Amino acid sequence: MEVKLWNDKSERETYENFAEIYAIIKTTEKLEKAYIRDIISSSTYEPECQKLIAHFKTLASALKDTIPSIECFADTYKMDCPAALYRLVTSGVPATVEHRRVSTEGTAAFVAECVQNFITAMDSLKLNMVAVDQLHPLLTDLSLSLNKLSILPVDFEGKMKVNQWILMLSKMEAADELKEEQARQLHFDLESSYNSFMAALPNRSIG
């Protein structure tokens, strides 16, 4: 006999998001232990950790009413993942960034911030967060973080694309939503800008 965990689409999405949060915590715990034991290099660890942190922040924000406390969530599902909880909830940055002596410009930290802002914006679109008052602050944060990086060319295409979208959103009402084709184009622009951003980093500064 098949047992259903949900009664409607909304409940199904909630359970799927719970499963994703669970998987992120478990994966982060394994990643932290692998890095501590020197099983993986810092150049492998850091970008993977940044992706997990960014995905986690997006989901945790979307589920803040359902999961007010990640620690309680971990306790409820008997997750013994102290390293992951520290990295995701307390620190919010990879161990390499946290422990590194950052240069006076703070380049490494700014790169990490840009990566997280890119992924957060793309994840938000995947979660169908397409209202102006949801997207505008995310793109503004991304633009500000890109502007902090002096290692990027002044005419970096990613900056220009993000600023064009911010300008467009600024002309709309807060409750307005992007049409499906607009959301798809924004995601494409963000993804291509992210790839250009990573390629523009000298010697992959975050590695």
Side-chain angles (χ1 to χ4, degrees):
M1 178 178 164
E2 184 180 350
V3 179
K4 285 191 174 181
L5 295 175
W6 53 80
N7 297 313
D8 54 37
K9 184 181 178 182
S10 177
E11 281 191 12
R12 178 178 178 175
E13 287 181 355
T14 298
Y15 278 109
E16 287 177 347
N17 286 332
F18 277 15
E20 194 162 349
I21 283 276
Y22 185 95
I24 288 173
I25 294 173
K26 282 289 190 180
T27 303
T28 304
E29 183 72 16
K30 289 181 180 178
L31 184 67
E32 289 294 307
K33 287 181 177 178
Y35 176 64
I36 291 169
R37 294 168 184 166
D38 285 331
I39 296 172
I40 58 173
S41 66
S42 59
S43 60
T44 300
Y45 162 82
E46 192 167 322
E48 291 304 315
C49 189
Q50 285 173 336
K51 287 178 187 176
L52 287 167
I53 291 170
H55 288 318
F56 170 79
K57 285 184 176 180
T58 303
L59 267 178
S61 177
L63 295 171
K64 62 185 177 183
D65 294 331
T66 319
I67 309 177
S69 168
I70 297 298
E71 291 89 344
C72 289
F73 175 86
D75 188 52
T76 299
Y77 292 99
K78 300 186 176 1
M79 302 179 72
D80 184 21
C81 300
L85 291 178
Y86 173 78
R87 187 63 50 218
L88 296 169
V89 180
T90 306
S91 172
V93 295
T96 43
V97 174
E98 187 177 43
H99 299 150
R100 184 185 296 139
R101 286 188 175 181
V102 184
S103 66
T104 53
E105 288 185 325
T107 302
F110 292 154
V111 169
E113 185 181 330
C114 288
V115 169
Q116 290 186 18
N117 285 335
F118 264 120
I119 295 175
T120 298
M122 289 188 285
D123 278 355
S124 297
L125 287 168
K126 289 178 183 176
L127 290 170
N128 202 34
M129 295 169 65
V130 292
V132 171
D133 60 355
Q134 292 173 320
L135 290 173
H136 192 277
L138 297 179
L139 295 181
T140 300
D141 286 345
L142 174 56
S143 177
L144 290 172
S145 60
L146 287 171
N147 286 331
K148 292 177 185 176
L149 270 178
S150 59
I151 58 175
L152 289 177
V154 178
D155 59 349
F156 176 60
E157 189 179 7
K159 285 185 187 180
M160 297 166 67
K161 284 183 178 178
V162 171
N163 288 337
Q164 284 169 0
W165 278 102
I166 291 173
L167 183 62
M168 190 192 87
L169 293 174
S170 298
K171 296 176 181 177
M172 299 167 66
E173 298 294 327
D176 288 346
E177 295 187 350
L178 293 185
K179 295 176 183 176
E180 185 179 349
E181 57 268 27
Q182 290 177 312
R184 188 171 178 177
Q185 183 64 48
L186 174 54
H187 188 276
F188 176 82
D189 286 347
L190 286 171
E191 193 168 40
S192 60
S193 296
Y194 173 72
N195 291 334
S196 298
F197 170 77
M198 296 303 288
L201 297 178
N203 300 319
R204 295 296 293 269
S205 297
I206 59 173

